[in-house]
């Protein structure tokens, strides 16, 4: 870390310390290490520790519960990875799945991002080759922490590129435990973001390196990094828009150079060609509005290069001005016409709803209720920012200040990345993850620069008694050393106090991150835990209980209808065909299910017969007080169903705009299928001491309709805590 | 107005022509390659306009690989050109063989 300070103080300090160390068995002096080697050893050991830390911090749920896959989406990824390892890549790439979205089926090979599955499968096959016969589930569970550790390494190199090695080390340490990243990469969270953030940071690092050096090899590397990112996550659209925006900013600020030309062109063309290999992406790079910025900047770069070359050839400003005028006007005209024709004729598709709602946050609520209903897509509250970033929140502006002080191609990039990603993080909670590397890097710059200034202040005081060296000291305060003599003690104490403050803040950050990881982000969601009356831990394993009952007690071709949240889990664990699942690609199909759930039993029976449904699964939290059950999600079913079938009207289920399930609820609510299925036989149950029977603990009211009779369905299974309830659809009665 | 712009254009053309003849031969060869690649791409676009764009992937791969080699050849030209000072100390491979090797790999 004294790389640009004079090397004189280091050996002095080492010599002073060596008499103590000589007595211990392990001494640096006995190894005859020079300063550079000491520094290298320090750096490598710090990086090694950070690598291990990033892995270990994510293992809370494996230690508390067991090594299992969490949440909903990872179950689909697990199922596809299982398929890949069993059947091979060709079958996987061309897989048509008839077990979901009955009767439509789903082209899985063409509608997923294969990066995660292929990565896990490669790790699995490598381990098997080395004769470690682990189960694929273990590999899947631990893929995310492994790639989080790799991300810290990339963050170190990136920090080194932007600022110096000190900032790199701090960035690696910050990102290892930052809750914003941990939330989506704990062990068991086997989701696309686990490898995508690694790929994102890798692509950015390689591209910045390419711009800095202008060599084709780094640009090639960044193209392959981009390919990995495209294969891993739909968020690659962020890269394909941020990089052109960055190039545009460089062009505008007059930083055009040959290196930029080489880097961007190589990355764009090769990256685009590679990205089109993924079936899910297809031809979007030349047809979709979201990717047009990259193409526009590509053409702009050609124009710039051409103008630059002509200027170079001419060596005559007057002629060049004429030429410039002609070319620029014609280029703008041609570009504008092409864009206009493309958009008007519909060849270039406009921005899709998912990404359009990032630019206009109110769009989804009015037009696409399915996007609006996902809790991760809601705008972010301040508390989430504080929760996920802690001290990084105020270190970020400090880092921005340092970046602006030392502007270069690399720092401009990280500033743009930080600002754009923070904007999007403010629009959608889920995108805090994308902003995390930028925030960590910029905060690392702030920390590193501050600590360096403070320690060099301290070190300056050591040097003053010796002959004042004319070599530049890190703080570059050598010219004012004489005037500092009088205020020496104050500055030294101030520096020490500030250093102590910095270390205190960083230690509080570490404590906060560990607490957040342990309390908030390590729950598997499929297994619930609560504290019993005597403080003992009670585990609710109802979901898996229900899915295994399905697996073992229903015919293999049974079709299960449930709300789309549980689709992936039912197919992965219950191994049965579902009607709708989390992919939510067909809004009408989901609306049909929503309509069935919110209709009276007779109409619902007709819909279920038309879909060949054999079993219905609902999630009910009234006995345990579990609040993410289907009754609380019911209004979304109504809204989505009502979006397609106008016969379902939301006000029918509300009373004075309020959603109630007790005696005052609307009659349609009290008799709809969802209500009946959730509260069947619940009216006889005493859930809480001192409350009447049928007291719903999740809503805190006594239910309105206790005497429920089912005509077309019969109860098949209810789990031990009544969380999951399965009903069999009876075949139509015989006509007599 | 028209006469002066046409005179400007002629001057422009003449000085460009004279300046270009001064470039060394190896760079001119690369430039010929670039023109050839762009020309091939234009032929493919014209073909697509006449016959239709099925199958789209072949069209895209044809056009983009032409554009790609053109762009990579320009990058090669940049790195080889002795007049570009900033590349002397910044490239990872500094000798000519290394640069050509990178170009071949990229293609």
């Amino acid at each position: 870390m004294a790389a640009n300070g004079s090397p004189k103080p280091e050996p002095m300090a080492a010599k002073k310390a060596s008499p103590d160390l000589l007595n211990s068995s392990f001494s640096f002096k006995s190894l005859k290490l020079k300063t550079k080697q000491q520094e290298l050893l320090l750096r490598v050991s710090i990086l090694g520790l950070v690598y291990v830390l990033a892995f270990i911090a994510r293992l809370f749920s494996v230690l508390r519960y067991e090594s299992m896959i969490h949440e909903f989406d990872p179950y689909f990824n697990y199922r596809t990875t299982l398929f890949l390892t069993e059947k091979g890549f060709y079958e996987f790439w061309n897989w048509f799945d008839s077990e979901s979205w009955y009767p439509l089926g789903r082209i899985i090979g063409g509608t997923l991002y294969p990066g995660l599955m292929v990565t896990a499968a490669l790790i699995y096959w490598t381990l098997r080759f080395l004769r470690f016969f682990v189960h694929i589930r273990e590999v899947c569970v631990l893929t995310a922490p492994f790639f989080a550790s790799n991300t810290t390494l990339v963050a170190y190199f990136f920090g080194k590129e932007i600022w110096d090695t000190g900032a790199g080390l701090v960035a690696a340490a910050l990102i290892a435990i930052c809750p914003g990243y941990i939330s989506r990469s704990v062990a068991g969270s086997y989701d696309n973001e686990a490898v995508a953030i690694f790929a994102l940071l890798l692509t950015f690092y390689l591209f910045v390196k390419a711009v800095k050096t202008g060599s084709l090899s780094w640009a090639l590397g960044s193209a392959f990094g981009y390919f990995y990112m495209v294969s891993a996550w739909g968020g690659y659209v962020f890269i394909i828009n941020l990089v052109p925006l960055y190039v545009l900013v460089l062009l505008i600020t007059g930083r055009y150079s040959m290196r930029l030309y080489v880097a961007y062109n190589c990355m764009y063309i090769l990256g685009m060609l590679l990205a089109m290999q993924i079936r899910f992406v297809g031809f979007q790079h030349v047809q979709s509005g979201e990717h047009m910025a990259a193409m526009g900047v590509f053409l702009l770069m050609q124009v710039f290069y051409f103008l630059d070359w002509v200027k170079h050839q001419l060596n005559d400003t007057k002629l060049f001005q004429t030429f410039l005028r002609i070319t620029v006007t014609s280029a703008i005209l041609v570009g504008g016409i092409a864009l206009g024709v493309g958009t008007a004729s519909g060849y270039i598709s406009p921005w899709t709803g998912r990404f359009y709602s990032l630019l206009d946050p109110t769009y989804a609520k009015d037009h696409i209720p399915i996007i609006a209903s996902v809790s991760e897509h809601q705008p972010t509250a301040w508390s989430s920012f504080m929760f996920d970033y802690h001290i990084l929140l105020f270190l970020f502006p400090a880092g921005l200040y340092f970046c602006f002080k030392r502007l270069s191609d690399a720092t401009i990039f990280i500033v743009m990345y930080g600002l754009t990603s923070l904007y999007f993080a403010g629009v959608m909670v889920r995108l805090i993850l994308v902003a995390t590397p930028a925030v960590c890097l910029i905060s690392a710059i702030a920390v590193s620069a501050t600590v360096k200034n403070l320690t060099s202040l301290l070190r300056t005081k050591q040097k003053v008694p010796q002959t004042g060296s004319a070599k530049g000291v890190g703080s570059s305060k050598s010219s004012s050393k004489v005037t500092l003599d009088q205020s020496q003690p104050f500055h030294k104490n101030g520096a020490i106090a500030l250093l102590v403050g910095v270390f205190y803040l960083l230690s509080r950050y570490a404590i906060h991150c560990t607490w957040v990881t342990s309390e908030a982000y390590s729950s598997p969601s499929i297994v619930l835990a609560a504290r019993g009356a005597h403080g003992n831990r009670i585990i609710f394993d109802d979901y898996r209980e229900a899915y295994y009952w399905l697996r073992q007690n229903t015919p293999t071709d049974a079709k299960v209808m449930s709300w789309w949240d549980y689709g992936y889990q039912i197919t992965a664990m219950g191994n049965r065909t579902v009607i709708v699942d989390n992919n939510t690609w067909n809004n009408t199909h989901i609306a049909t299910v929503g309509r069935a759930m919110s209709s009276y039993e007779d109409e619902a029976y007709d819909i279920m017969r038309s879909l060949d449904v054999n079993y219905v699964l609902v999630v009910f939290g009234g006995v345990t007080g579990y609040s993410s059950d289907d009754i609380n999600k019911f209004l979304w079913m109504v809204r989505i169903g009502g979006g397609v079938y106008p016969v379902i009207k939301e006000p029918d289920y509300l009373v004075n705009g309020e959603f109630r399930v007790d005696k005052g609820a609307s009659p349609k609510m009290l008799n709809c299928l969802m209500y009946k299925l959730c509260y069947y036989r619940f009216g006889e149950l005493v859930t809480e001491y001192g409350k009447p029977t049928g007291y719903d603990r999740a809503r805190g009211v006594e239910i309105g309709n206790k005497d429920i009779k089912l005509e077309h369905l019969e109860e098949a299974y209810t789990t031990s805590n009544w969380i999951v309830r399965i009903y069999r659809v009876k075949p139509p009665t015989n006509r007599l | 107005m028209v006469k002066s712009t046409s005179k400007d254009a002629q001057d422009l053309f003449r000085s460009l022509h004279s300046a270009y003849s001064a470039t060394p031969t190896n760079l001119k060869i690369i430039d010929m390659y670039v023109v050839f690649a762009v020309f091939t791409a234009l032929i493919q676009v014209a073909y697509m306009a006449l016959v239709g764009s099925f199958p789209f992937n072949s069209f895209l791969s044809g056009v983009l690989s032409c554009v790609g080699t053109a762009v990579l050849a320009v990058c090669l030209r940049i790195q080889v050109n002795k007049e570009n000072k900033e590349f002397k100390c910044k490239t990872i491979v500094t000798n000519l063989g290394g640069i050509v090797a990178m170009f071949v790999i990229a293609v």
Side-chain angles (χ1 to χ4, degrees):
Chain A
M1 313 228 200
N4 59 350
S6 61
K8 263 198 195 151
E10 280 285 336
M12 294 286 193
K15 276 204 193 108
K16 282 192 201 119
S18 60
D20 310 321
L21 287 175
L22 271 178
N23 298 334
S24 64
S25 54
F26 179 69
S27 123
F28 278 118
K29 190 139 193 305
S30 68
L31 288 178
K32 289 202 176 39
L33 286 178
K34 300 199 293 282
T35 316
K36 279 245 178 284
Q37 288 172 331
Q38 279 181 2
E39 193 197 339
L40 184 65
L41 183 63
L42 258 181
R43 265 193 281 148
V44 168
S45 51
I46 290 179
L47 268 182
L49 284 175
V50 165
Y51 192 90
V52 172
L53 174 68
F55 192 87
I56 297 181
R58 290 161 163 84
L59 292 180
F60 273 102
S61 71
V62 173
L63 294 172
R64 283 182 188 162
Y65 302 98
E66 62 179 89
S67 154
M68 68 177 140
I69 315 264
H70 298 185
E71 303 249 333
F72 302 111
D73 282 355
Y75 273 100
F76 171 70
N77 298 330
Y78 173 59
R79 181 167 159 245
T80 48
T81 317
L82 201 55
F83 189 86
L84 172 60
T85 52
E86 284 170 3
K87 301 272 184 8
F89 189 72
Y90 185 76
E91 289 295 319
F92 169 75
W93 200 236
N94 294 300
W95 187 14
F96 179 83
D97 182 35
S98 41
E99 277 194 29
S100 54
W101 297 91
Y102 185 85
L104 304 165
R106 178 185 170 184
I107 309 172
I108 291 196
T111 56
L112 58 48
Y113 286 106
L116 175 69
M117 298 90 188
V118 171
T119 312
L122 280 176
I123 298 178
Y124 172 73
W125 284 324
T126 317
L127 286 176
R128 285 188 86 90
F129 177 74
L130 296 172
R131 299 289 176 258
F132 286 114
F133 290 108
V134 292
H135 193 271
I136 181 72
R137 194 189 64 238
E138 317 297 339
V139 174
C140 291
V141 165
L142 293 175
T143 300
F146 174 60
F147 272 91
S149 304
N150 295 342
T151 309
T152 61
L153 283 184
V154 178
Y156 163 69
F157 285 110
F158 204 179
K160 198 162 84 133
E161 206 52 46
I162 298 176
W163 201 255
D164 61 13
T165 52
L169 285 173
V170 178
L174 286 179
I175 208 173
I177 49 175
C178 187
Y181 185 27
I182 286 192
S183 63
R184 303 290 300 201
S185 67
V186 280
S189 170
Y190 182 55
D191 209 350
N192 291 8
E193 289 94 344
V195 294
I197 297 297
F198 169 73
L200 181 95
L201 211 54
L202 188 68
T203 313
F204 283 152
Y205 165 63
L206 292 172
F207 184 68
V208 168
K209 197 79 196 223
V211 172
K212 248 195 175 179
T213 59
S215 93
L216 267 180
S217 48
W218 289 106
L220 250 188
S222 78
F224 278 104
Y226 176 64
F227 170 58
Y228 189 39
M229 179 70 193
V230 170
S231 73
W233 196 32
Y236 75 90
V237 175
F238 181 63
I239 298 190
I240 201 67
N241 282 310
L242 180 64
V243 167
L245 193 64
Y246 165 64
V247 169
L248 197 62
V249 165
L250 282 187
L251 290 180
I252 292 178
T253 55
R255 283 173 176 270
Y256 168 78
S257 64
M258 299 292 196
R259 302 170 279 123
L260 182 64
Y261 180 82
V262 170
Y264 181 65
N265 280 326
C266 182
M267 186 213 169
Y268 178 63
I269 293 289
L270 287 179
M272 180 162 73
L273 271 174
L274 286 170
M276 293 205 254
Q277 309 307 311
I278 309 288
R279 285 173 66 187
F280 195 25
V281 172
F283 299 130
Q284 278 182 7
H285 275 77
V286 289
Q287 284 180 337
S288 152
E290 295 147 9
H291 302 78
M292 283 302 118
M295 188 177 287
V297 171
F298 173 68
L299 295 171
L300 192 64
M301 282 290 269
Q302 310 307 320
V303 171
F304 255 82
Y305 175 73
F306 186 54
L307 288 176
D308 203 50
W309 181 68
V310 167
K311 187 171 176 182
H312 187 71
Q313 299 277 2
L314 280 184
N315 292 328
D316 178 355
T317 35
K318 189 171 146 311
L319 277 176
F320 180 64
Q321 296 291 358
T322 341
F323 182 72
L324 184 65
R325 254 187 298 124
I326 303 173
T327 329
V328 167
T329 38
S330 55
I332 293 180
L333 264 174
V334 168
I337 290 177
L339 190 65
V341 166
T343 325
S345 66
Y347 186 72
I348 300 180
S349 56
W351 283 58
T352 55
R354 258 178 74 199
F355 296 111
Y356 191 72
S357 61
L358 288 178
L359 296 177
D360 176 18
T362 57
Y363 178 76
K365 208 163 176 95
D366 298 330
H367 296 100
I368 316 176
I370 262 205
I371 296 182
S373 74
V374 182
S375 66
E376 297 174 317
H377 292 180
Q378 306 308 318
T380 327
W382 262 113
S383 52
S384 299
F385 272 116
M386 190 62 195
F387 199 63
D388 281 338
Y389 287 142
H390 205 237
I391 58 167
L392 302 185
L393 262 189
F394 62 80
L395 284 179
F396 181 74
L400 279 183
Y401 163 72
F402 280 108
C403 283
F404 275 107
K405 255 176 68 169
R406 203 209 285 187
L407 271 186
S408 70
D409 290 345
T411 44
I412 291 185
F413 179 79
I414 197 68
V415 164
M416 288 197 60
Y417 175 26
L419 291 175
T420 48
S421 58
L422 261 194
Y423 166 72
F424 288 123
V427 175
M428 208 187 254
V429 167
R430 193 177 174 187
L431 295 179
I432 284 191
L433 174 71
V434 176
T436 303
V439 169
C440 285
L441 277 166
I442 296 185
S443 314
I445 293 178
V447 170
S448 170
T450 317
V451 169
K452 187 181 264 181
N453 285 345
L454 289 174
T455 47
S456 60
L457 257 185
L458 278 181
R459 215 180 283 138
T460 323
K461 301 306 151 237
Q462 272 184 12
K463 279 196 62 188
V464 166
Q466 306 153 12
T467 53
S469 159
K471 288 194 203 141
V473 187
S475 67
S476 66
K477 287 188 173 58
S478 44
S479 54
S480 52
K481 240 190 277 188
V482 177
T483 52
L484 282 174
D485 275 355
Q486 289 92 343
S487 44
Q488 234 185 56
F490 170 71
H491 273 264
K492 186 169 178 187
N493 289 338
I496 293 184
L498 282 176
L499 268 181
V500 167
V502 168
F503 291 139
Y504 171 71
L505 275 181
L506 288 175
S507 63
R508 289 304 308 182
Y509 171 71
I511 295 175
H512 170 85
C513 293
T514 327
W515 176 82
V516 163
T517 314
S518 155
E519 293 302 311
Y521 289 138
S522 297
S523 87
S525 296
I526 196 169
V527 169
L528 312 161
R531 293 251 162 245
H534 306 283
N536 56 327
R537 204 169 64 142
I538 309 182
I539 305 265
F540 299 124
D541 210 358
D542 287 44
Y543 281 102
R544 294 197 292 174
E545 187 187 335
Y547 300 139
Y548 276 108
W549 183 90
L550 268 183
R551 194 189 190 107
Q552 290 163 348
N553 293 289
T554 57
T556 41
D557 61 349
K559 331 265 181 308
V560 180
M561 179 173 96
S562 69
W563 192 234
W564 59 261
D565 290 5
Y566 317 108
Y568 281 155
Q569 288 179 342
I570 296 178
T571 25
M573 276 191 274
N575 204 20
R576 293 288 174 268
T577 312
V578 285
I579 307 292
V580 287
D581 68 15
N582 307 55
N583 191 31
T584 65
W585 67 270
N586 192 331
N587 196 33
T588 313
H589 218 50
I590 297 183
T592 313
V593 171
R595 180 183 173 187
M597 295 293 194
S598 34
S599 311
Y600 292 123
E601 197 185 340
D602 295 326
E603 299 160 21
Y605 184 64
D606 289 334
I607 299 178
M608 290 194 287
R609 291 287 304 157
S610 75
L611 287 173
D612 286 348
V613 175
N614 303 113
Y615 288 88
V616 182
L617 186 147
V618 293
V619 169
F620 171 59
V623 175
T624 48
Y626 177 52
S627 55
S628 313
D629 64 350
D630 280 355
I631 294 284
N632 279 347
K633 290 181 197 162
F634 182 64
L635 275 183
W636 284 110
M637 299 187 200
V638 171
R639 282 181 197 134
I640 296 175
V644 176
Y645 299 102
V647 67
I648 306 283
K649 299 190 225 349
E650 192 180 338
D652 286 348
Y653 300 87
L654 303 171
V655 175
N656 294 332
E658 207 186 309
F659 179 63
R660 296 170 68 171
V661 294
D662 54 1
K663 277 211 171 22
S666 67
K668 182 113 197 218
M669 180 71 209
L670 288 178
N671 288 298
C672 69
L673 184 71
M674 176 58 74
Y675 189 94
K676 281 184 158 181
L677 293 183
C678 283
Y679 291 119
Y680 183 66
R681 290 193 307 116
F682 185 62
E684 311 150 7
L685 197 65
V686 176
T687 51
E688 216 171 289
Y689 179 69
K691 294 276 194 304
T693 57
Y695 182 75
D696 184 344
R697 289 178 71 190
R699 259 75 41 189
V701 294
E702 183 188 344
I703 61 169
N705 186 358
K706 288 190 194 170
D707 189 23
I708 297 178
K709 299 257 184 307
L710 288 174
E711 193 188 327
H712 300 290
L713 296 114
E714 58 181 3
E715 186 178 0
Y717 189 68
T718 300
T719 57
S720 42
N721 295 299
W722 286 56
I723 291 187
V724 183
R725 311 194 68 181
I726 306 179
Y727 294 84
R728 188 178 302 117
V729 177
K730 292 199 278 202
T733 51
N734 292 326
R735 275 171 249 217
L736 293 169
Chain B
M1 185 64 192
V2 178
K3 214 152 180 257
S4 64
T5 32
S6 71
K7 188 174 178 310
D8 278 340
Q10 277 185 6
D11 283 339
L12 198 68
F13 192 65
R14 236 178 280 132
S15 46
L16 268 178
H17 190 75
S18 58
Y20 186 67
S21 354
T23 54
T25 330
N26 53 353
L27 289 184
K28 278 198 191 149
I29 295 179
I30 298 181
D31 288 339
M32 289 264 66
Y33 180 68
V34 172
V35 171
F36 164 70
V38 172
F39 187 58
T40 317
L42 286 175
I43 290 185
Q44 292 190 18
V45 172
Y47 178 81
M48 181 208 88
L50 282 175
V51 182
S53 73
F54 183 80
F56 198 54
N57 357 4
S58 343
F59 163 67
L60 272 184
S61 65
V63 172
L64 286 178
S65 51
C66 288
V67 175
T69 56
V71 162
L72 286 170
V74 175
C75 297
L76 178 68
R77 188 185 193 279
I78 290 175
Q79 293 191 341
V80 166
N81 196 349
K82 291 188 180 33
E83 296 177 16
N84 282 333
K85 294 281 178 301
E86 33 185 79
F87 277 92
K88 277 281 185 298
C89 42
K90 295 246 167 121
T91 47
I92 288 198
V93 281
T94 48
N95 59 340
L96 184 63
I99 295 177
V100 174
M102 263 299 119
F103 171 68
V104 170
I105 290 177
V107 171

